[in-house]
Amino acid sequence: MSDDVRELRGRPIVPGVATARALVSPETISGWGGIDPTTGTIIERRHPLAGVCFADTVLVFPGAKGSSGWSGFFQSTRLLGTAPAAMLFTTVTTKAVLGAVVTRVPTISELDHDPVSVIRTGDLVEVDADRGIARILERA
């Protein structure tokens, strides 16, 4: 992890601004069968964050995996009030982008630094997807 990097710049996917504690996933996240939208919890058995809730966090992850149902499950988190506050992901796929759009949370991708390596779970992060900037405001 690089403690000296405090600002990341990337491509805005969904506009908006949000500030929350980060939840960093070292692995991609499956939507269908990988999350419980009623609680905002990762339920994929072999995932390193199985049992961890992502609701109201800045969800930092490499990207989406699985079927096209990914976006539907993340849209359900918005409808049920369990969505992340914002998302930062590294790999742009139609699943991840559509999921971000239907979740309607500030989202940035294609960042100039790998957010999974730079941001730590518990860091306070501001995502300004209007400008394509993510800032680490406070280290955990």
Side-chain angles (χ1 to χ4, degrees):
M1 282 182 248
S2 184
D3 282 338
D4 55 328
V5 175
R6 294 289 182 130
E7 184 174 283
L8 298 89
R9 293 180 176 270
R11 178 179 172 196
I13 303 295
V14 179
V17 179
T19 302
R21 295 286 171 186
L23 176 63
V24 180
S25 173
E27 294 183 12
T28 55
I29 296 174
S30 179
W32 190 341
I35 67 166
D36 177 355
T38 61
T39 62
T41 301
I42 297 169
I43 59 170
E44 186 179 345
R45 289 185 186 170
R46 292 191 174 108
H47 197 281
L49 297 179
V52 177
C53 179
F54 56 75
D56 300 319
T57 68
V58 173
L59 183 58
V60 181
F61 60 112
K65 72 177 173 183
S67 71
S68 58
W70 199 91
S71 58
F73 274 80
F74 272 84
Q75 179 185 27
S76 294
T77 66
R78 176 181 58 83
L79 297 171
L80 295 167
T82 60
M87 291 193 270
L88 302 173
F89 56 85
T90 55
T91 304
V92 174
T93 63
T94 55
K95 285 185 280 278
V97 170
L98 181 57
V101 169
V102 298
T103 306
R104 298 183 188 166
V105 298
T107 303
I108 304 172
S109 189
E110 298 178 340
L111 296 127
D112 57 357
H113 298 281
D114 178 6
V116 174
S117 298
V118 173
I119 299 170
R120 293 181 225 157
T121 293
D123 286 353
L124 183 63
V125 177
E126 176 189 57
V127 177
D128 181 346
D130 293 334
R131 297 175 33 200
I133 299 170
R135 286 190 187 91
I136 301 168
L137 303 176
E138 176 185 298
R139 287 286 187 190

